[in-house]
Structures are given as C-alpha cells and as structure tokens.
C-alpha cells in the first residue's frame, strides 16, 4: 500500500504491484464483491502498477473549474531494437491493437545511445500509455512492413511523432515505470475492492512459446534462447522456422516442441503420446484374510499379484502354498518372466513341523513353490532369508526380481549336527552358522539347476539389473542409496520405490516426508513438477500421490477421472493408484472394508497410419480440449467406407502356459479388423455400413469377456456427403465515362478443377467424409467473368467519401456474415451459382480489404489473401494474383493458393477464427497450432502446411452439412 500525491493536491491510497514481463493483467473493481467491472488491462513488462483504493480530496477552490472529460488510456507494450539494415532505423514489435497478434515494423527513426542504459521505459503521449522494452541487439527488419489496421496505424504515427521526445527523456528515466493511477472513489468512507487476473499463457507472436518465457530468455545473455527471445516476433532469425521450434527454454538439451516439459530441466526426455485408460474391475476375487487383501504389484502383461494368488485375464488363480518340506508360502514379488518370489515356513529337520522361514519361488502361478537353497555338501546348505523390511512389505515388489531372475537377500548357513541315534531318524539337529550377509541371488536356470549367489553391497535390496540397484543404507542414516554402473547417488531421505525415466535417469518417491527426487549431475534433487510422483512408466507417465489421484503426462497433471473417462461414480469417490508397471499399466485400489474394489488400468492411445486421416489425439493434450472431446481419443469412421489407424496399448498375446492381455473391440454399427488387440501396436481397420446417419459412440474394450468400466476412445461415424463448389474466375475490369473497357486484370494463378478437387478431397474426405464436386465458371481454361465491381465510396459505409474511393483496386468486404458491401453485391450479381453449397470468387486485380466500424470510425484491414462469408452466405473470396504469396518465403503460388482455398472453405464449415489467435471452433491452447488446417496466415507456418481437422471441427462441420447438404438429393 502507498499514498500518492496528485497535482491537484488530492491523495490516492494505492495498491502497488510489479508486473512480470510477458504476462497479461486485468484489474477489476467492485464496491460490493458481487459485481465486478474491468478497470484496465495491461501487458506486463516489469513495470509497477498503481491501483487506487480510495482518494482523499483537498477543500474545493472558491470557483471550481468545469470538469473536463476523463482522459482514457490506450496501453501499448512494445519492444524496440536497432535495425541492422544499411539505412538504419528501429525495429518496433508489439501486440496488435486491432487483432491481438504480433506485429513487426521498421520505422526510420533512430534510437540514440542513451537507450543502452534504459532497458525499460514508460511515457504517456496523449491517450497512449507506452511501455517500451529495449534490447540493444540489432536485428534484421521485415522485408516489407505489414499492412496495419486503423488503431495500429494511429499508434505508430504517435510513436514516430514523439520519438525525438522519447530519445531526450531516456537519460532521465529510472529503470522502472509506474503507471499513472486511474480515478479512485472520492469519498473516504466509500469501499473499493480490487482483483487482478494474470494470464501467463499469452503468446503474442504465436510461435508456441509463452511471452513470459521469451522475456526471461531475452533478459539472460547466457540463455541458449537469448537471441530468439522476442515475444513479438515469431521468426527473429528469419529462417522460415518458428522460433519455438528452435528453442530450449529449460536448457535440458531438448527443443521445446519435443520436450515433455519445456519449463523443467529435470524433465529431460522427449514428449510421449498422451494415453487414456481402460479400467477393468478385478472380478472373481475370493474372500481373502484382511492381511492378504491388498494387491501388491501389476505387471506389463496385466497380471496383478496378491500374497496368495494372481489375477490374470479375468480370473483369480490361487497360488499353491504347500510343497515338499514347506507350508504357508506367500508371494511378495513377481518378475517379467512370470516367476514369483515369496517366503514360507520350511521343515529343515524333517520332523514334519515347518518352523524356519526361507525364500521360495514359483516358476509361474500354476507351479508348486520351491525352496531356494544351495547344497554345500558336508558344509551344510546356504539359503536366502527374508529381512524385516521384506517380510512386512516395505520394499517395492515391482523391483524385487529382475528380468534375469535375480534378487537381493541375506545369506543364512545351516549345518547338521551329529545325529542322536544310529541310523539317524528325524528330527535331524541343525544349527545356524555365521552372520547374515547380503547376497545377489539368481533363481535356478534351465532344467531345475541350482540357484546361484554372488557378493552384494550391504544396503542393496531392489534392482533393475546387476549394475543398477538401490536400498536404504543403515550406515548412513537409512538414506536412499542408488548405484548405477560407476555412479552412486545418495538421497536425503528414505525411499521405497525407484523408477527409470525415459532419458535413463531415476525418480524416487520418498517414504517420509512424502515427495519425490530425481537424479541429476551425480546427486538427487527435488523432482520439480514431479514432486508428488510415486512411480513412472518408461513413456514418462507418472502416478502422483494426491487426493484425488492424478496422472502426470508431458508437463500436464490430469485427474485420474479425466485420464479414465466414464468411470462409474462408485469408483471415483475413494481410490488410489497403488502401482505402475514399466509399460504403463496401473493398479487401482478403490474403497475400504467389504466394498473394496481393485482395477487394472490399461493405457490406450491412437495414432494415424497416415497424417490427417481422421484421428484426433491432439485435443486431449490441450488444457482446454472442449466438452465435445470428453477427454477421449477420437476416430472418424466413414459411413460406407473405412479408416485405418493404430491402437497402442499394453495388449499381449497368450502363450501355452500364460494368459496375456488380449483386448476385444466392440462398438455399435462399427466393424473392427482384426477385432482383437494382441500386440502393443496393432493396425486396425474400422468400417461402418453405408447410409448411416452421423452419430457419436465409444469403443468398448473387453478383457476375457468383461467390458472396461471407462471409455478412453470415442468414434464419430460420419455420413458420406458431396459438397458442390463453384469457382468464379473474376477478371476485374474498369470502364471510362463512356462505358468503354480501359483495363482488364484476370487472376494469374488459377487452379484446375482436378487439382482443386484432389487437394480438398485429400483433406476433407478422410477427416469429415466429405468430398467436393468443383465447378469452374467459366469452364474453359483461360476464360474469365469480366465484372466492373470497384465502385465503393465512403458513402456506402457511412463515412466521408475520401476514406474509400472507386477504382482503388481494393475489394471492400463488410465484416460479418449477414451483410454484403456494395462491391460484394455487384460481384454476386455478376456471378453466382445457386445450385452450389459454396461459391468461391477467385479475384484478379484486387486486394481483399475488410471494412468495419469501430467507435464511430472506419476500420480497414488489408492484405488478406482469402476471406470467408459464412452462414448464410457461404461465400469465399480468394486473391488470384501471384504477388499475394510473396510473404510466404517464395512458395509455389499454385500450391499456396490450393491451401488458401482449403482454409477458407474450412471457415465456411467450421466458422470464423483461428486457433493460434485463440479463436475458432477449437483453440486448443498448448497444442501445436501449425499442424492445423485453420492456423492463421499471420505467423510463420510450417513449410508443408498444416491440414489437421479436430473433433470439435468435425462436429461443427456436421451441423453445416446437415443444414446445407442433406436437404439436397445427393449424387
């Protein structure tokens, strides 16, 4: 809090806060905590904000002047850098006041030398409150300044007008900026409440990196992204690739787009697919004693280990718990080979009373248990003995027995005493010799050969291989100690579990205090955003110690209810995630007492065989996937056709002795070929009968005849349609006063009917089951419709005639779908096909210009290469001149134009807006927008054009197809 004195003598008591660069702030005020009004919105550049709470006024003067109108503020945040161009100047970057996207322009004004000591500058000029971030690094200016809207043009003119004043002021400015406060309540007894919204997701240049990250890199000369850290420029080095594709924000050696978390350097592995889980109830469980009810471990092939049995492929198999010389055998670990490790009471003296505890094993869950022992002849026998920690379940059962059937256990020797009678009869007297020493044991290999043992470090209890093992070191305060090859890590706390990360590091979950650590640089460190992780799969999916239970994937934390969509309510009230296998299976434990429930969660994700052919596994990776996605993977199934994709899971086939995890696929009106998954990656062909109406349904996964409780994969069956598109090839003509043609400008880039149909059908056929019948008007190659449309004046838009004049070569479209401008009306009157669902106008000799009203002023936005009038017009305008595509790195104009057709038709089908600008039917923040068909042309796009259409867009297209196509008789 701080009091500030105004020029008129009033005092404002203000809340002062400093902004974080790159974060957007909105201050809202209220006097009752019920109704809130926005007071101001400002883009943070590290400046201080003064938000008044109350104002104390001095006594009024004898003659009060007439109050003037309040001065409104337009807040503009910019970066300014010297231009490396030979003629100098300054490169200015800002968030557009018209569209909100980044704008980069060069102005001739030159920054003076004093700016080197002023990285942050603020000054008010008339209605503009300017905040400037200055970077000394000279950069290349844009090849050509972009066209600007009304508000950007006015702001830039004011900046240039006052540039000399700013140069004079920088030497006197402090390295901070305090925003002049807005009016506060006059009465000292009035109440005023403030709240501040901070948006950390702002990405002004739409390159995929949030602004705050770019500002942070720009402020750190040692950061590997320093030279690319410009929040208002998507391609600083002008190499045609978005900056985000070249950045490594967290300095872990992995570029942001591939990084599982670009904000945490401990997460140093590449992004994996995002799974959803099919959860199967562990049915057929027997009544177990309380101490044996809790499941211990889940394996990669879907087996769940209990102390007295194994649940496998839909049923519980009781372990044989007696054998030669042993009784009461109970399991505590299960290896990848299917062997099971346990302990039992053993009768060493053959008196028919088992009294000594020892380690036993089962070759599989159908086999008898066997004692682990090595006969040393006259020296007696040596066998492993269960430790206290092992007996009471304090060790991780998932890493007790490795893939080579090795385990750690204490060694105990037994030797026989002289018999009491001759010949000897039971009991045979024996004694234990020597101290218990830790050993690495190997179960018998081959045809019942003997086990083997070798030396081991005293603390070792769990292992992944003979070179990677760990345990709690009693000689060092019981701390977790892990040895991997020649490197040893010692943690600050005790840990029960250790997982291998996808990059080959290690993650440990502490016993107490709860938390997690990861290895880095020869030491354990706090696990950052994985601080609550219990265990991790090889893909980098982590189960978290949280209430309710959550999953971590690729930098996002997801409630398990969302990761396993459709779980019934009795499963979501009380449950935890007990264990995770390396392949990603999860053991789910739900409920307490007689209502205990256990589940096997099998991870599922879907991949396209070929890109952009009707699979949406992108939407679920967004922080806002949209309600229609319902947290599922989606597959478009064409009615009367087929779609081929890959189901990825932990499915495994059965062997002669072991049941696998084969998953059957079922869905209404859908056929699957094959109908069963038995491999981790299975190519499946989906088809639906012809003439089905469009509907949404889900895949029902079945394991041994039992259907999954959750529904991780959705299907959208889409009806087959053909959309008729008429392309009018327009030559712009001009006439003199006598009506004589004085000029004619046809489009010089014209697609063929076949090329346009093929391009559109390749995008829309596999993704929404719609193909296009293209009609060219005129049909002859090289023939055009001559129209003199360039007639608009200012009067047509209710503004002075000088603002818009006839013959300006601008095709003025009125923004909004319902109203046509005068020039649109002329064009439509000269060429229109009422038999087509979509009319497209390929314009020659025209620059498409959008016109709208803003606060009583005319706003024009030029430089558009395509524009769409959606419902009810369903009209597309396309620039047909080669120079329209110069901005896009000299691409093939014909290919660029085909993509523009597809994109603008997408606006007809899906509606207005672009995902990279936060609009459109599916903005999907946090996903790679450059893969999308509907990405805007304002930023740098990928060289081969994004073509992806997602589930929300499928749904919107369906609504349009029903309204405009289904009413007609289809061919």
């Amino acid at each position: 809090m701080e009091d500030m004195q105004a020029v008129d003598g009033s005092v404002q008591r203000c809340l002062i806060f400093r902004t974080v660069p790159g974060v957007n702030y909105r201050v809202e005020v209220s006097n009752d905590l019920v109704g809130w009004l926005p007071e101001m919105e400002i883009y943070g550049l590290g400046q201080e904000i003064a938000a008044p709470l109350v104002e104390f006024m001095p006594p009024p003067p004898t003659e009060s002047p007439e109050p003037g109108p309040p001065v409104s503020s337009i807040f503009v945040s910019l970066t300014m850098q010297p231009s490396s161009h030979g003629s100098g100047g300054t490169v200015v970057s800002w968030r557009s006041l018209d569209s909100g996207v980044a704008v980069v322009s060069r102005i001739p004004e030159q920054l003076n030398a004093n700016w080197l000591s002023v990285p942050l500058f603020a000054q008010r000029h008339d209605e503009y409150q300017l905040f400037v971030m200055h970077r000394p690094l000279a950069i290349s200016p844009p090849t050509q300044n972009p066209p600007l809207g009304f508000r950007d043009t006015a702001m830039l003119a004011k900046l240039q007008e006052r540039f000399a004043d700013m140069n004079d002021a920088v030497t006197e400015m402090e390295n901070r900026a305090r925003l002049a406060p807005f009016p506060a309540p006059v009465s000292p007894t009035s109440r005023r409440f403030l709240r501040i919204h901070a948006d950390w997701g702002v990405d002004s240049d739409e390159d995929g990196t949030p602004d705050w990250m770019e500002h942070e890199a720009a402020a750190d000369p040692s950061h590997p992204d320093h030279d690319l850290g410009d929040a208002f420029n998507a391609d600083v080095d002008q190499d045609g690739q978005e900056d985000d594709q070249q950045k490594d924000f967290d300095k872990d050696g992995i570029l942001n787009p591939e990084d599982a978390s670009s904000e945490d350097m401990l997460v140093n592995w590449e992004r994996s697919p995002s799974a959803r889980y099919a959860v199967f109830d562990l049915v057929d469980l027997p009544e177990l004693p309380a101490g044996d009810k809790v499941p211990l471990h889940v394996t990669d092939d879907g087996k769940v280990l209990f102390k007295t049995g194994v649940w496998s492929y839909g049923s519980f198999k009781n372990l044989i718990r007696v054998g030669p010389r042993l009784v009461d055998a109970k399991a505590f670990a299960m290896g990848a080979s299917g062997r099971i490790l346990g302990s039992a009471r053993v009768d060493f003296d053959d008196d028919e009373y088992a009294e000594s505890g020892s380690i036993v094993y089962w070759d599989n869950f159908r086999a008898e248990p066997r004692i682990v022992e090595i006969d040393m002849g006259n020296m007696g026998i040596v066998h492993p003995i269960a430790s206290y920690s092992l007996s009471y379940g304090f060790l991780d059962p998932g890493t007790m027995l490795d893939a080579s059937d090795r385990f750690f256990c204490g060694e105990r020797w037994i030797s026989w005493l002289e018999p009491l009678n001759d010949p000897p009869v039971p009991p045979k007297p024996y004694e234990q010799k020597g101290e218990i020493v830790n050993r690495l044991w190997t179960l018998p290999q081959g045809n019942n050969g003997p086990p083997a043992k070798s030396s081991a470090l005293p603390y070792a209890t769990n292992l992944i291989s003979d070179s990677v093992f760990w345990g709690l070191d009693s000689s060092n305060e019981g701390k977790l100690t892990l040895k991997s090859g020649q490197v040893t890590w010692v943690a600050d706390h005790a840990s029960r579990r250790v997982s291998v990360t996808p990059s080959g590091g290690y993650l440990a979950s502490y016993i107490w205090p709860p938390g997690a650590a990861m290895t880095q640089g020869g030491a354990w460190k706090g696990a950052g955003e994985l601080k609550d992780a219990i265990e991790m799969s090889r893909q980098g999916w982590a189960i978290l110690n949280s209430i309710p239970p959550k999953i971590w994937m690729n930098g996002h934390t997801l409630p398990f209810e969302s990761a396993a969509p459709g779980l019934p309510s009795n499963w979501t009230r009380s449950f935890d995630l007990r264990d995770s296998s390396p392949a990603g299976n999860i053991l789910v434990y739900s409920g307490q007492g007689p209502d205990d429930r256990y589940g096997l969660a099998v991870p599922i994700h879907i991949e396209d065989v070929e890109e952009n052919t009707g699979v949406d596994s992108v939407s679920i990776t967004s922080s806002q996937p949209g309600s229609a996605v319902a947290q599922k993977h989606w597959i478009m199934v064409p009615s009367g056709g087929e779609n081929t994709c890959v189901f990825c899971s932990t499915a495994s086939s059965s062997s002669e002795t072991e049941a696998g995890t084969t998953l059957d696929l079922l869905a209404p009106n859908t056929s699957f070929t094959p109908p069963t998954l038995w491999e981790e990656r299975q190519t499946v062909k989906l088809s639906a009968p012809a003439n089905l109406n469009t509907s949404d349904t889900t895949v029902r996964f079945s394991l041994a005849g039992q259907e999954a409780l959750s529904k991780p994969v959705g299907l959208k069956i889409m009806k087959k349609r053909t959309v008729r598109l008429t392309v009018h090839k327009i030559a712009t003509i001009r006439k003199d006063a006598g009506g004589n043609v004085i000029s004619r400008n046809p489009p010089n880039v014209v697609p063929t009917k076949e090329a346009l149909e093929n391009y559109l059908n390749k995008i829309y056929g596999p993704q929404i089951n719609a193909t296009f019948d293209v009609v060219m008007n005129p049909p002859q190659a090289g023939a055009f419709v001559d129209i003199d449309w360039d007639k608009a004046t200012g009067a047509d838009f209710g503004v002075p005639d000088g603002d818009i004049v006839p013959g300006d070569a601008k095709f003025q479209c009125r923004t909004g779908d319902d109203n046509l401008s005068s020039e649109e009306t002329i064009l439509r009157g000269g060429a229109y096909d009422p038999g087509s669902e979509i009319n497209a106008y390929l314009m020659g000799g025209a620059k498409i210009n959008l016109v709208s009203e803003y606060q009583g002023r005319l706003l024009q936005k030029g430089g558009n290469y395509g524009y769409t009038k959606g419902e009810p017009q369903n009209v597309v305008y396309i620039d047909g001149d080669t120079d329209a595509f110069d901005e896009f790195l000299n691409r093939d104009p014909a290919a660029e134009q085909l993509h523009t057709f597809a994109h603008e038709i997408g606006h007809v089908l899906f509606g207005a807006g672009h995902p990279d600008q936060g609009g459109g039917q599916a903005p999907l923040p946090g996903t790679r927008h450059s893969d999308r068909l509907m990405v805007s042309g304002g930023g740098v796009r990928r060289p081969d054009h994004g073509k992806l259409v997602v589930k929300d867009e499928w749904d919107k297209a369906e609504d349009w197809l029903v309204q405009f196509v289904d009413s007609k008789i289809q061919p």
Side-chain angles (χ1 to χ4, degrees), residues 10 13 55 218 296 390 419 637 654 723 733 750 839 848 877 907:
S10 64
R13 183 156 295 160
E55 184 173 33
L296 303 175
L390 189 152
V637 183
S654 302
V723 179
I733 62 171
V750 181
N839 279 261
I848 299 170
Y877 305 108
H907 282 307

Side-chain angles (χ1 to χ4, degrees), residues 325-327 345-356 416 425-430:
R325 298 187 298 145
L326 63 86
V327 295
R345 290 187 293 115
V346 180
D347 179 15
F348 280 114
D349 57 7
D350 293 333
D351 66 351
E352 298 183 0
Y353 292 97
E355 61 279 321
S356 177
W416 310 111
V425 293
K428 297 187 298 183
Y430 66 93

Side-chain angles (χ1 to χ4, degrees), residues 40 127 138 160 181 322 407 552 609 678 685 811 814 944:
M40 69 173 175
E127 72 270 33
Q160 292 181 260
V322 298
F407 65 96
W552 183 95
V609 172
W678 63 82
K685 195 174 290 184
F811 180 64
R814 188 181 294 276
D944 57 342

